[in-house]
């Protein structure tokens, strides 16, 4: 399949099925916290990258730490708006500013386009703290599914660039971290990601890139690089073909001396934080917010604030 054919297929996949009402299928918090929300354009190598910014209302802290959120969608689907219902939960519980990024999609923009764009967003936030009144010394990043891959890849890229950005925490929510292994060889579950779909996503994102590149498949990062990674929350779903590789990655981080909180949610499939059981989804989102708050507080203690 050539690039034009890939783009045509991706465009068709991005269209909701006829007669569907996706807005009714999306999970939403039971009691959405009050936040200030705005759209913002951040200059990046991709041009102007649109983000949604969420600022908590119930806090007296100033400036605030920032959490950069990256949506899922297999690198070729989805939008930051998928997470806009839940970003206020993170902002409120973690007492931070959440920047939700509308990054470029493949195959139109294959690896490393989205990775560099997300890194550029984080760099801009660090270099322009007054724009959004953030604490530039307290940055965190995380994502869901493909967004989790991008989040930890940003941390690895930061290490390659000399650890210029003070990333104090990473949140990896059921991420794909091994794009080199044939999806047919991964565990299969009813209602999970079909192997042929996973192959298509990987091909569209990778194009000619080596799948064992750690910035593509972080599971292949060496111990020396992992030793410099920020502490992490790794969330997996029991009935997800990606759970095994995420657990392996969490173990590799621990072996390299990185503090890791690992949580597997039982009986749920991939993408459970966005569709399915609302009570379980809220538990996961609350865990993300609470772990981020701890990380931010630890940062403040270590800096003597």
């Amino acid at each position: 399949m050539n690039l034009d054919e890939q783009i045509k297929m991706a465009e068709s996949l991005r269209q909701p099925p006829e007669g569907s009402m996706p807005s009714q299928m999306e999970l939403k918090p039971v009691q959405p916290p009050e936040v200030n929300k705005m759209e913002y354009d951040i200059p990046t190598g991709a041009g102007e990258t649109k983000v949604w910014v969420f600022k908590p209302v119930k806090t007296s802290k100033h400036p605030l730490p920032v959490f950069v959120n990256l949506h899922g969608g297999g690198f070729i689907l989805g939008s930051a708006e998928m997470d806009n219902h839940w970003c206020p939960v993170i902002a409120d519980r973690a007492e931070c500013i959440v920047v939700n990024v509308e990054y470029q999609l493949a195959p139109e923009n294959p690896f490393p386009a989205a990775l560099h764009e997300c890194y550029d967003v984080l760099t801009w936030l660090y270099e322009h703290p007054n724009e959004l009144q953030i604490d530039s010394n307290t940055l965190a990043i995380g994502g869901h599914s493909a967004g989790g891959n991008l989040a930890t890849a940003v941390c690895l890229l930061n290490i390659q660039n000399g650890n210029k950005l003070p990333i104090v925490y990473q949140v990896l929510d059921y991420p794909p971290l091994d794009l080199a292994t044939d999806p047919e060889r991964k565990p299969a579950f009813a209602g999970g990601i079909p192997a042929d779909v996973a192959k298509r996503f990987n091909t569209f994102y990778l194009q000619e890139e080596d799948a064992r590149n750690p910035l593509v498949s972080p599971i292949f990062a060496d111990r020396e690089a992992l030793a410099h990674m920020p502490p992490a929350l790794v969330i997996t779903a029991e009935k997800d073909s990606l759970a095994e590789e995420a657990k392996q990655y969490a173990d590799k981080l621990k072996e390299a001396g990185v503090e890791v909180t690992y949580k597997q949610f039982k009986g749920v499939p991939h993408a459970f934080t966005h569709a399915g059981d609302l009570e379980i989804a809220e538990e996961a989102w609350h865990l993300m917010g609470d772990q981020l708050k701890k990380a931010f507080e630890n940062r403040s203690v270590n800096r003597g604030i």
Side-chain angles (χ1 to χ4, degrees):
M1 186 182 297
N2 62 35
L3 182 58
D4 288 341
E5 291 171 329
Q6 290 182 13
I7 292 173
K8 186 175 181 180
M9 177 175 286
E11 289 174 343
S12 68
L13 291 172
R14 292 168 191 156
Q15 301 301 315
E18 186 175 351
S20 68
M21 302 181 70
S23 62
Q24 293 185 356
M25 298 168 58
E26 297 173 354
L27 295 180
K28 301 178 183 179
V30 175
Q31 294 181 319
E34 183 181 358
V35 297
N36 292 321
K37 175 186 174 184
M38 63 178 287
E39 292 184 31
Y40 204 85
D41 290 323
I42 291 179
T44 65
E48 296 287 327
T49 297
K50 182 168 70 172
V51 301
W52 279 267
V53 179
F54 301 83
K55 295 186 177 183
V57 173
K58 298 177 182 178
T59 180
S60 58
K61 294 181 180 179
H62 183 81
L64 290 171
V66 64
F67 172 65
V68 172
N69 181 81
L70 307 175
H71 69 83
F75 306 103
I76 72 170
L77 304 174
S79 164
E81 292 183 89
M82 295 163 50
D83 297 342
N84 277 353
H85 296 310
W86 294 100
C87 287
V89 174
I90 298 292
D92 182 69
R93 293 184 77 93
E95 294 186 69
C96 71
I97 292 171
V98 177
V99 176
N100 191 22
V101 183
E102 191 70 84
Y103 59 81
Q104 301 172 96
L105 300 177
E108 297 92 331
N109 302 284
F111 175 88
L115 171 61
H116 287 169
E117 183 178 16
C118 295
Y119 184 81
D120 286 352
V121 167
L122 208 61
T123 300
W124 186 90
L125 292 168
Y126 172 68
E127 294 178 347
H128 301 84
N130 294 333
E131 292 281 344
L132 298 176
Q133 293 80 53
I134 69 168
D135 176 1
S136 62
N137 289 306
T138 312
L139 310 177
I141 190 168
H144 320 278
S145 193
N149 172 291
L150 291 170
T152 201
V154 164
C155 296
L156 286 168
L157 181 59
N158 187 48
I159 291 168
Q160 291 183 8
N161 291 342
N163 248 340
K164 179 181 74 171
L165 305 177
I167 305 174
V168 303
Y169 207 71
Q170 54 177 324
V171 175
L172 313 182
D173 187 20
Y174 46 77
L177 300 173
D178 177 5
L179 277 62
T181 299
D182 188 336
E184 293 280 1
R185 295 174 53 197
K186 296 183 180 182
F189 298 92
I193 305 171
D196 61 329
V197 172
K199 286 181 182 180
R200 186 179 303 126
F201 286 179
N202 293 351
T203 298
F204 286 13
Y205 180 58
L206 286 168
Q207 298 300 324
E208 301 302 320
E209 180 61 43
D210 179 7
R212 294 179 68 89
N213 180 340
L215 298 180
V216 169
S217 299
I219 196 78
F220 295 109
D222 61 38
R223 184 186 179 94
E224 182 178 356
L226 294 179
H228 293 90
M229 292 286 272
L233 168 64
V234 180
I235 291 174
T236 62
E238 182 183 22
K239 297 182 177 180
D240 182 8
S241 60
L242 305 178
E244 187 175 297
E245 63 205 65
K247 176 62 165 62
Q248 291 174 354
Y249 188 61
D251 290 341
K252 290 188 69 172
L253 287 171
K254 289 180 183 178
E255 290 167 4
V258 177
E259 181 181 343
V260 176
T261 298
Y262 174 79
K263 170 70 174 180
Q264 180 171 101
F265 285 81
K266 303 300 182 182
V268 293
H270 188 77
F272 75 96
T273 53
H274 292 72
D277 188 305
L278 177 58
E279 184 176 350
I280 296 176
E282 285 208 308
E283 181 184 349
W285 285 100
H286 291 173
L287 176 62
M288 295 179 220
D290 294 346
Q291 288 298 121
L292 283 165
K293 185 175 184 179
K294 289 180 184 178
F296 296 148
E297 289 175 344
N298 289 338
R299 177 69 168 182
S300 295
V301 169
N302 291 338
R303 290 168 59 198
I305 297 177

